Amino acid sequence: QTALKNVIWSVELIPHTLQTDGFNCGPFVCFFATQYFKQSPMEIDDISAFRKTFFQVTLIYQIKFIKLEKKLI
C-alpha cells in the first residue's frame, strides 16, 4: 500500500471501437488489453475474427497445460 502512495495516476481517453452487442465483452476486453500493450490501434472491424483467434490460442494453452500437468503427476 505504501508503494502506491506516491504514484501519480492519469486518465486518458483512447479512440476505440464500441461494443454493439451484449455477448462480446470478454473478447473486447482481451482485444483492448492486447492492443494497449502492443501500442497498436484500438479499432477492430470484425470482433468475430479476434474471438476465433482468442479461442484457438486459449485452447492450445489449455492443452499444453494439461499435458504438462500429466507429466508432473
Side-chain angles (χ1 to χ4, degrees), residues 27 30-31 34-35 38 44 46-61:
C30 294
F31 171 76
T34 302
Q35 295 302 95
K38 290 186 339 186
I44 189 166
D46 182 15
I47 193 69
S48 299
F50 178 79
R51 186 184 186 101
K52 182 179 179 182
T53 302
F54 180 71
F55 171 75
Q56 291 169 341
V57 169
T58 304
L59 187 61
I60 289 167
Y61 279 107

Side-chain angles (χ1 to χ4, degrees), residues 15-21 28 32 42-44 47:
H16 63 281
T17 302
L18 294 176
Q19 178 185 345
T20 58
D21 57 38
F28 263 93
F32 291 136
M42 300 279 196
E43 309 206 351
I44 189 166
I47 193 69

